[in-house]
Amino acid sequence: EAQVTQNPRYLITVTGKKLTVTCSQNMNHEYMSWYRQDPGLGLRQIYYSMNVEVTDKGDVPEGYKVSRKEKRNFPLILESPSPNQTSLYFCASSLRTSGHNEQFFGPGTRLTVL
Amino acid sequence: GENVEQHPSTLSVQEGDSAVIKCTYSDSASNYFPWYKQELGKGPQLIIDIRSNVGEKKDQRIAVTLNKTAKHFSLHITETQPEDSAVYFCAAAQIYNQGGKLIFGQGTELSVKP
């Protein structure tokens, strides 16, 4: 089944404890992206990747890191999480980096930073 | 940069009635306008999209209209059913620039009462 998977789905952590949220897609998509969803703010892009070893900042990149060492994986790293990073996170992928491309979203990771 | 405003934030209708959600965008260079539906506990899923060279697009009970001059677009759902209850997001993008980056509206929580 074609899908985007994220792990973990739920995470409660404490300030300053490094964490990684994994994202994987099995559709051979070039483009991958991370969003955070907050009430009243919609989805805001954190980082995106147009292909292996190519990543760039989105609209809210502060406090996050990403890597794209393989085409299928795009982990989101929080080196020192803070309470303002408590949010619902979505990974998404699309076939190509330009043109009319549907973005496929993962199921989400709900993160709470105490 | 692009800014997308979405209204209303919540919408409650009776089953069988129509629902309309409206979005405005700021960047006249945007030329691709998708709508995503997010069911409870899931990631957003594309339901319909429209390009700027088309004024209206329909798919069964859902339709999207676009007014490029006024820079606004709308989602119309007719004969609503309880399974239409979800959060709906509009978005805007430039297909061939910025990696097809999506700028999302704030979301509309639609509730269809039986």
Side-chain angles (χ1 to χ4, degrees):
Chain A
E1 180 189 355
Q3 60 183 348
V4 179
T5 57
Q6 295 179 227
N7 283 292
R9 294 289 313 277
Y10 302 91
L11 180 60
I12 300 175
T13 189
V14 295
T15 299
K17 186 176 181 182
K18 181 179 178 180
L19 65 92
T20 299
V21 184
T22 64
C23 172
S24 183
Q25 50 90 7
N26 62 1
M27 297 170 279
N28 200 35
H29 283 176
E30 285 184 358
Y31 183 92
M32 298 187 74
S33 180
W34 276 103
Y35 296 89
R36 60 177 289 173
Q37 182 179 352
D38 301 290
L41 297 177
L43 292 115
R44 295 178 292 166
Q45 190 180 55
I46 303 170
Y47 268 94
Y48 65 96
S49 169
M50 297 175 82
N51 215 323
V52 176
E53 301 291 1
V54 180
T55 64
D56 209 345
K57 296 177 180 179
D59 297 316
V60 288
E62 295 76 22
Y64 305 95
K65 286 175 56 177
V66 293
S67 68
R68 187 93 182 271
K69 296 177 182 174
E70 307 163 282
K71 198 170 187 178
R72 63 183 294 131
N73 297 322
F74 190 46
L76 179 69
I77 303 155
L78 285 72
E79 294 270 5
S80 183
S82 62
N84 63 11
Q85 293 177 298
T86 293
S87 187
L88 178 59
Y89 292 86
F90 289 100
C91 180
S93 72
S94 61
L95 182 60
R96 289 180 297 274
T97 57
S98 66
H100 173 200
N101 290 291
E102 176 182 356
Q103 287 202 22
F104 293 85
F105 284 80
T109 295
R110 185 165 292 281
L111 172 65
T112 301
V113 183
L114 302 174
Chain B
E2 175 66 278
N3 182 53
V4 178
E5 296 287 334
Q6 183 173 346
H7 298 280
S9 56
T10 60
L11 180 59
S12 181
V13 299
Q14 287 294 132
E15 183 177 359
D17 287 351
S18 294
V20 180
I21 303 170
K22 299 182 179 181
C23 291
T24 60
Y25 61 99
S26 61
D27 190 345
S28 56
S30 292
N31 53 15
Y32 174 62
F33 307 93
W35 286 87
Y36 283 79
K37 176 183 180 182
Q38 183 180 20
E39 296 178 342
L40 195 62
K42 297 183 178 180
Q45 186 172 11
L46 181 71
I47 55 171
I48 195 168
D49 56 15
I50 191 169
R51 291 193 180 203
S52 59
N53 59 349
V54 176
E56 183 173 357
K57 186 176 179 180
K58 198 171 182 179
D59 183 3
Q60 299 181 351
R61 294 186 298 106
I62 60 174
V64 57
T65 59
L66 171 65
N67 183 326
K68 284 193 299 181
T69 303
K71 288 192 273 192
H72 65 71
F73 56 112
S74 300
L75 178 71
H76 304 253
I77 307 174
T78 58
E79 301 172 24
T80 53
Q81 301 167 3
E83 52 264 38
D84 295 328
S85 295
V87 178
Y88 292 81
F89 290 98
C90 63
Q94 298 178 37
I95 293 179
Y96 297 107
N97 292 321
Q98 303 175 349
K101 175 181 176 178
L102 294 175
I103 302 297
F104 286 88
Q106 294 82 1
T108 296
E109 184 173 1
L110 173 64
S111 176
V112 180
K113 300 189 183 306

